[in-house]
Amino acid sequence: MTDTERGEVVSFADKILRRYFCDCDVEFLISTFDPEIVWLGGGENQRAEGSEAVAKAFRDGRGDLAPCRMWGERYVVLPLDGNCILCEGESLLETLPELPVYMRARQRVTFIFRRTDAGLRTVHIHNSIPFGEIQPDELFPIHAAREACRSLESSLSRKDREIELMLSRLPGGMQICYYDAAFTTKWISDGLCRMLGYGCADEYAADTGNCCRGFIQAEDYGPMCVQVDEAFRRGNAYTAEYRVRRRDGSVFWVQDLGRRVRDEDGEEVVYCFISDITQRKEQELQVEKSNREARRQAEFLSALYDTVPCGIIQFATDESHTLINANRMAWEIYGYTREEYFAIASDPFRLVKDQDETRIHRIADALRLGGGAASYTREGRRKDGSTLWINVIMERLINADGEEVIQAVFTDVSEIRRLQREREQVQIMENRSLRAAICTAYPVIMNVNLTRNTYETVIDGDFIMRPSPRGAVDDVVARSSARIDASQREQFESIFQRCAMLERFRRGENELYMEMRELGDDGACHWISAHAIHVDNPFGSDVLAVVLLRLLDEQRSEKARQEQLLRDALAAAKSASSAKSDFLSRMSHDIRTPMNAIIGMTAVAHQTVEDPQRVRGCLEKIDASSRYLLSLLGDILDMAKIEQGKLNIVEAPFCLEEFLEALEAVHTPQALTRSMGLKIRREGPLAARYVGDALRLNQILVNLLSNAIKFTPPGGKVELTVREARRDRERTWLEFRVSDTGVGMSPEFMKRIFRPFEQESPDAARNNVGSGLGLAIVSSLTELMGGSVGVESTRGRGSAFTVLLPFLPAGEELSGAPSAAAPAGTSPLAGRRVLLAEDNALNLEIAVTLLELQGLTVDTAENGEQALRAFADSERGRYLAILMDIRMPVMDGLAATRAIRELPRPDARTVPIIAMTANAFEEDRRQAGEAGMNGYLTKPVDMQALLQELQRYL
């Protein structure tokens, strides 16, 4: 047999094996079969005769094949009789690293080929793989390979958990961002906020626009985006390094390790772990600088032989390698003197460690003159025993003496090696941090093979139960179903039973999710989420998935708390709405009652105009009803001021006896008309004068006495008792107790007695009109004055209210009390002129009449524009003051006041402008002051107050 024929056979056999083991191409193997082929395999029952039977055996085993790498081939060829050739071959096989199986073995095969006119045909195959765990019906040990792979993955998983513990100590932070043009932030960790110089996520969002573009250096942002885009085209993970700005403007380097995922909201996001690598970058720059320096030193060795900071030696090329020459650094690097170095290093290889000597001898022996330099790095030992690392460049050359030598230039790179080791450690820690960050969200992660009914726990963290490392999917689903709340069990099984998941994934669903309550190992029920994600299987038909388990107790507790707060708020709102609706209903009744009296008495007065006594009685009733209406409005406005915190307490001296006498004078007639007794008692010693807010005290006691008289039937008694309760260093505490023998109150109503708009029984109070605000005002005023109010009551026997208030000791007597308005004939306002702006004809007529009775001359205007024109056309000093309504047509009072103040005349800014308006709120008073008004009186206007206000400007 010729070498050419032998090479043809070897090439044919090698092609068959590579197409079969490397490409899994069974059909090519079958295409070489001779019709009379005989096959003997490595399994117990693996044999077949005839091309059809052998082809069927190989096609049936095609699913067990896994692509391999083949090397180390050896073939033996032997010619046989009858144009037949025997070819025996062997080689090493190893599965590709990216496969979920692992095998490394030596395969052996024997071919018998028959040479025909069509070429070589295969008439016999005997192949085997010496693999102890090959199954009887397998052409390839796929089951054992998978078990080896799973064992390796389990080992790696344990290592990964150890890595995670180390990663948790690394500095850095996480964020979740959208994969958009600006990498908009969805969530950012506190650690990353702190690293960027922000106190919280809100500060970060406000300063950066809530996106990565806001803190990445502009010149680095574009390249970073390109790098991420390219990585995502290849897969779902990336690594990028760039510079970022802190809040204070400082710039530092970071490494960004990210993965694109679909989160629990169903959104495609990027999970990023960002760590500060400024120190590493600086180390890299230092390493790069050192390497550049080493290369530069090597290039100039010949010229700087004795001055460069590196060792240079020359030694013989023969086996003796005798040292010929060395510079000063050659021995100083090792810590020797020249004599010591030449004595020890007469053969330079004596300074090489035993484990490196063979390698370095081989490098030196391979050098050729003009063939270029060789370099290596090795470990050495100094004279003092310390370790050093040197970088060596060797070259074969002709020295200055014309001798062919080997020249070695070596540099101490111990510091560089140290920095490299530190950088490698930092890189390892950063990678572990990324894994820990990704796994933090889910304490339990399982890889599931639904087709084979198997699972393996990849991550087993802190969870309500400890899952088995591996097992059957049906078993773990059954155990979980037994622990799940009964109301959710059917839904859970309809989603996560293996057959249900297979069916849903077959229909195209990629994710299954459910939140449920499950009994934990601690004996308590917990809210958890189960999330199954379908995983594409490029290597087979098995249906694979990843199952993620997460604890939701905190989220559920917060949700329940928020829902309870909403329910409480709704109940409070409904209660307030009901109380205000009841209040409006009562107000409608209470306002209509005196209005009915006013209208009715007016009609009676018209019909009995000839009877002055009857008319006077009607007018008195109209006046009383009007004052009652005003008191209702006063209660409502006072309550509004109290709620807005705009009611001020004014402390001034007052005479207690005069105060009580006035109170008695007002309420005695009311008591007598209801045939009941009213008594005011003074107990113990009382001072003549105190300092406090007498107006608010009067308001408190008037409300209490009025209620007592109102709800006490004829023949009953009402009593006010005043006494000093106690004294301290600065204040005297007075107790005012109002008691009656009236209808009393129920315990239930007493719990809400001081709330606004509350009445115990609107039907019982139908003839006792009131706003339902009186006791709320009493409580609020008492609190504002620094005191307290309490109540005792028994249904059918009466009530007693006790008010305790602090007062200061009285100072000197006040003088200069305002006197009553003088009669028209002697009024100091007589002969003066005012301008009155009022759009309501009736109000205008009343005001003009009352002012003229005081001797004033009144010019009138029906709106703000007429008032502006009248003042602009008047001579300087014509008007003592301008009385201005606020709400008027054409031009309102505020606009007219501003226009008057802007007129180009000297008195435009000084003429007094007094508001006379029905707008009684504090905001209205503030707006009037801002417009330029000097005074503010509310309607119905108290004539005494108006005259006193005008006298201020005389």
Side-chain angles (χ1 to χ4, degrees):
M1 171 177 269
T2 66
D3 290 343
T4 300
E5 291 173 336
R6 190 181 304 276
E8 178 188 5
V9 171
V10 169
S11 176
F12 187 59
D14 187 75
K15 183 176 181 180
I16 291 174
L17 293 176
R18 289 189 178 278
R19 293 285 290 269
Y20 182 76
F21 286 116
C22 299
D23 301 334
C24 301
D25 189 349
V26 175
E27 295 303 322
F28 176 76
L29 171 64
I30 294 172
S31 70
T32 70
F33 288 177
D34 188 88
E36 298 177 354
I37 186 171
V38 175
W39 164 67
L40 183 63
E44 181 179 353
N45 299 316
Q46 290 183 340
R47 63 176 61 86
E49 294 85 25
S51 59
E52 291 186 1
V54 176
K56 181 179 184 305
F58 276 94
R59 286 191 178 109
D60 290 345
R62 183 184 310 178
D64 295 336
L65 291 177
C68 297
R69 183 170 67 92
M70 188 175 87
W71 77 99
E73 307 94 319
R74 189 182 69 82
Y75 297 97
V76 175
V77 178
L78 180 67
L80 303 175
D81 294 338
N83 293 326
C84 292
I85 304 123
L86 182 144
C87 179
E88 183 181 90
E90 64 176 334
S91 64
L92 287 171
L93 296 176
E94 185 177 43
T95 52
L96 298 182
E98 63 269 19
L99 297 179
V101 298
Y102 179 75
M103 182 202 73
R104 179 187 173 102
R106 179 174 294 277
Q107 68 86 24
R108 297 180 178 86
V109 63
T110 300
F111 292 107
I112 296 179
F113 300 123
R114 176 182 292 158
R115 188 178 296 282
T116 67
D117 294 339
L120 295 174
R121 308 298 293 174
T122 306
V123 297
H124 177 73
I125 302 175
H126 179 194
N127 69 294
S128 65
I129 296 177
F131 199 92
E133 298 185 20
I134 190 169
Q135 300 297 314
D137 58 346
E138 287 183 334
L139 293 179
F140 189 86
I142 189 66
H143 293 288
R146 284 175 178 153
E147 285 300 320
C149 182
R150 279 194 287 269
S151 176
L152 181 60
E153 287 177 348
S154 177
S155 176
L156 290 175
S157 177
R158 289 193 299 272
K159 293 295 183 183
D160 285 345
R161 288 195 291 271
E162 295 172 3
I163 290 171
E164 289 166 10
L165 292 176
M166 299 177 65
L167 284 177
S168 62
R169 302 179 182 178
L170 275 180
M174 282 193 67
Q175 75 161 335
I176 302 173
C177 60
Y178 295 102
Y179 182 41
D180 55 24
F183 285 90
T184 304
T185 301
K186 182 175 182 181
W187 172 85
I188 185 169
S189 71
D190 293 342
L192 184 54
C193 284
R194 288 193 297 271
M195 192 169 76
L196 294 175
Y198 298 102
C200 62
D202 290 340
E203 291 181 4
Y204 160 82
D207 195 50
T208 65
N210 200 38
C211 65
C212 296
R213 186 191 291 240
F215 64 82
I216 298 177
Q217 284 287 86
E219 57 269 30
D220 291 358
Y221 187 79
M224 183 276 294
C225 290
V226 172
Q227 186 176 358
V228 173
D229 291 343
E230 291 177 353
F232 281 168
R233 280 194 290 272
R234 297 190 301 268
N236 288 320
Y238 70 86
T239 301
E241 295 179 0
Y242 46 81
R243 291 169 297 167
V244 300
R245 294 185 308 278
R246 286 192 180 92
R247 188 180 189 182
D248 61 6
S250 60
V251 177
F252 64 102
W253 279 93
V254 299
Q255 182 181 63
D256 181 353
L257 304 175
R259 176 171 292 275
R260 179 173 56 182
V261 300
R262 187 168 298 279
D263 66 7
E264 60 188 17
D265 298 327
E267 297 179 317
E268 186 176 78
V269 296
V270 180
Y271 280 64
C272 312
F273 181 80
I274 299 176
S275 58
D276 186 343
I277 60 168
T278 304
Q279 184 179 1
R280 196 193 83 191
K281 278 290 185 180
E282 292 173 352
Q283 292 172 351
E284 289 177 351
L285 292 174
Q286 186 174 352
V287 169
E288 183 179 352
K289 180 179 178 182
S290 299
N291 288 335
R292 286 199 304 269
E293 183 66 19
R295 287 192 299 270
R296 187 184 67 80
Q297 291 168 359
E299 292 172 358
F300 288 95
L301 276 178
S302 59
L304 304 175
Y305 185 69
D306 283 322
T307 58
V308 292
C310 57
I312 303 175
I313 63 172
Q314 293 178 347
F315 55 91
T317 60
D318 59 24
E319 293 182 357
S320 68
H321 298 307
T322 303
L323 181 64
I324 298 172
N325 203 353
N327 72 345
R328 186 181 68 252
M329 284 301 297
W331 55 81
E332 288 185 353
I333 284 177
Y334 287 95
Y336 292 112
T337 64
R338 186 180 186 280
E339 292 73 18
E340 291 172 337
Y341 183 75
F342 272 89
I344 295 173
S346 57
D347 177 357
F349 288 94
R350 291 177 61 186
L351 294 175
V352 177
K353 286 191 170 185
D354 294 343
Q355 61 266 33
D356 295 328
E357 187 171 355
T358 301
R359 175 174 65 92
I360 296 174
H361 265 296
R362 190 180 300 118
I363 294 172
D365 294 343
L367 292 174
R368 297 291 181 268
L369 188 64
S375 64
Y376 60 88
T377 301
R378 69 172 178 84
E379 184 180 2
R381 193 166 302 279
R382 295 186 181 92
K383 177 183 177 181
D384 61 6
S386 61
T387 299
L388 80 159
W389 284 88
I390 59 172
N391 179 264
V392 183
I393 299 175
M394 287 197 304
E395 186 176 5
R396 196 158 182 160
L397 49 78
I398 304 297
N399 67 5
D401 298 327
E403 298 175 324
E404 184 176 344
V405 297
I406 296 176
Q407 178 173 279
V409 180
F410 52 95
T411 308
D412 186 349
V413 293
S414 301
E415 183 63 16
I416 295 174
R417 290 284 296 191
R418 185 186 66 80
L419 293 173
Q420 287 176 338
R421 283 197 301 271
E422 290 180 357
R423 185 180 67 177
E424 291 170 358
Q425 291 172 356
V426 169
Q427 184 69 47
I428 291 172
M429 297 297 286
E430 288 171 353
N431 291 338
R432 292 175 179 176
S433 294
L434 173 62
R435 181 175 178 83
I438 293 173
C439 297
T440 297
Y442 295 97
V444 176
I445 301 177
M446 298 178 178
N447 286 333
V448 175
N449 187 321
L450 295 173
T451 304
R452 298 181 182 274
N453 189 26
T454 61
Y455 76 88
E456 182 174 1
T457 303
V458 179
I459 301 297
D460 181 9
D462 186 15
F463 198 55
I464 65 169
M465 59 182 177
R466 181 59 60 89
S468 301
R470 60 186 57 81
V473 176
D474 290 341
D475 292 343
V476 75
V477 170
R479 285 197 301 271
S480 295
S481 179
R483 299 161 69 114
I484 287 173
D485 188 277
S487 63
Q488 297 176 302
R489 190 170 298 148
E490 182 177 350
Q491 181 187 3
F492 171 79
E493 292 175 350
S494 69
I495 296 175
F496 290 104
Q497 279 191 338
R498 188 165 63 93
C499 58
M501 286 195 284
L502 284 169
E503 176 62 22
R504 285 172 178 252
F505 289 155
R506 186 190 63 77
R507 292 201 306 261
E509 296 185 48
N510 289 319
E511 295 188 37
L512 307 176
Y513 182 83
M514 180 179 174
E515 295 181 3
M516 68 209 85
R517 282 170 53 84
E518 183 169 345
L519 183 67
D521 292 341
D522 58 358
C525 286
H526 301 270
W527 276 100
I528 67 167
S529 68
H531 192 180
I533 303 172
H534 180 242
V535 177
D536 290 335
N537 182 3
F539 307 112
S541 59
D542 288 357
V543 179
L544 308 179
V546 173
V547 175
L548 312 171
L549 301 181
R550 187 178 185 183
L551 188 62
L552 301 178
D553 282 350
E554 291 185 6
Q555 296 92 321
R556 284 286 181 159
S557 296
E558 177 63 18
K559 181 179 179 182
R561 190 182 71 83
Q562 294 293 340
E563 290 175 350
Q564 185 59 45
L565 288 175
L566 288 175
R567 285 192 292 269
D568 293 345
L570 178 61
K574 287 181 177 179
S575 176
S577 175
S578 175
K580 289 186 178 181
S581 298
D582 188 35
F583 162 74
L584 292 175
S585 175
R586 291 198 303 272
M587 282 299 95
S588 174
H589 171 269
D590 291 351
I591 290 173
R592 288 174 182 273
T593 299
M595 283 297 297
N596 181 63
I598 292 171
I599 294 170
M601 288 299 101
T602 302
V604 171
H606 279 302
Q607 295 174 8
T608 60
V609 68
E610 297 84 2
D611 186 352
Q613 188 66 28
R614 187 72 177 274
V615 170
R616 186 178 297 109
C618 289
L619 292 176
E620 289 174 354
K621 291 180 175 62
I622 290 171
D623 181 66
S625 297
S626 300
R627 292 184 182 278
Y628 175 69
L629 277 176
L630 187 59
S631 72
L632 283 180
L633 294 175
D635 281 350
I636 296 170
L637 294 177
D638 280 345
M639 199 65 216
K641 289 179 182 178
I642 290 169
E643 289 180 346
Q644 296 172 10
K646 296 180 179 179
L647 190 68
N648 296 322
I649 300 301
V650 179
E651 294 189 338
F654 68 96
C655 176
L656 179 62
E657 188 60 31
E658 292 177 358
F659 174 84
L660 295 176
E661 289 176 355
L663 202 62
E664 189 173 20
V666 170
H667 290 89
T668 297
Q670 298 178 21
L672 292 176
T673 59
R674 293 178 60 85
S675 302
M676 65 179 64
L678 171 64
K679 185 175 182 180
I680 298 180
R681 295 195 308 131
R682 292 86 167 162
E683 289 187 355
L686 293 168
R689 300 178 66 80
Y690 293 94
V691 176
D693 194 330
L695 175 63
R696 300 307 173 191
L697 176 60
N698 182 71
Q699 195 171 355
I700 292 170
L701 295 179
V702 165
N703 271 307
L704 294 177
L705 287 170
S706 297
N707 278 352
I709 294 172
K710 185 189 306 182
F711 292 102
T712 298
K717 293 189 299 181
V718 175
E719 185 173 274
L720 167 62
T721 303
V722 184
R723 70 182 185 91
E724 280 193 11
R726 67 177 186 272
R727 287 176 177 262
D728 53 31
R729 289 183 179 181
E730 298 180 353
R731 295 180 177 272
T732 299
W733 294 80
L734 294 184
E735 180 184 280
F736 301 88
R737 181 179 176 86
V738 178
S739 59
D740 62 61
T741 59
V743 296
M745 295 171 287
S746 66
E748 292 76 16
F749 177 65
M750 289 173 63
K751 295 177 182 178
R752 63 180 196 277
I753 188 171
F754 294 114
R755 295 179 187 173
F757 316 124
E758 293 289 346
Q759 287 185 339
E760 180 169 22
S761 174
D763 293 334
R766 182 172 302 278
N767 295 317
N768 298 318
V769 292
S771 64
L773 293 174
L775 291 178
I777 292 173
V778 167
S779 176
S780 298
L781 289 177
T782 303
E783 183 178 352
L784 284 173
M785 295 174 71
S788 62
V789 59
V791 60
E792 301 170 8
S793 183
T794 302
R795 197 66 177 268
R797 298 180 60 183
S799 305
F801 288 83
T802 302
V803 177
L804 189 63
L805 293 171
F807 294 90
L808 292 170
E812 297 183 1
E813 297 286 338
L814 293 178
S815 60
S819 59
T826 61
S827 173
L829 300 173
R832 303 304 295 269
R833 183 182 296 273
V834 295
L835 174 60
L836 173 62
E838 171 63 66
D839 64 316
N840 185 280
L842 181 58
N843 289 342
L844 181 66
E845 179 183 354
I846 294 170
V848 169
T849 300
L850 294 175
L851 290 169
E852 288 179 345
L853 289 173
Q854 299 298 321
L856 287 161
T857 302
V858 184
D859 293 344
T860 62
E862 295 181 358
N863 56 59
E865 184 178 297
Q866 290 182 9
L868 173 62
R869 190 180 307 117
F871 179 78
D873 295 341
S874 67
E875 66 275 11
R876 181 180 178 183
R878 175 179 177 85
Y879 295 116
L880 170 65
I882 300 174
L883 307 178
M884 185 78 72
D885 190 14
I886 299 294
R887 295 183 182 272
M888 294 185 292
V890 184
M891 178 184 288
D892 63 39
L894 298 178
T897 299
R898 284 190 286 266
I900 290 173
R901 295 302 188 202
E902 293 174 359
L903 289 174
R905 50 186 286 173
D907 59 343
R909 291 187 174 276
T910 59
V911 62
I913 302 178
I914 303 169
M916 290 174 50
T917 176
N919 296 349
F921 289 101
E922 190 65 28
E923 178 65 16
D924 301 315
R925 187 183 298 272
R926 183 186 62 78
Q927 291 177 356
E930 291 175 352
M933 292 185 172
N934 304 91
Y936 197 91
L937 299 174
T938 57
K939 297 177 182 177
V941 175
D942 186 334
M943 199 62 195
Q944 185 69 23
L946 174 58
L947 296 178
Q948 290 179 3
E949 185 72 18
L950 289 173
Q951 288 177 23
R952 291 175 51 213
Y953 304 110
L954 288 175

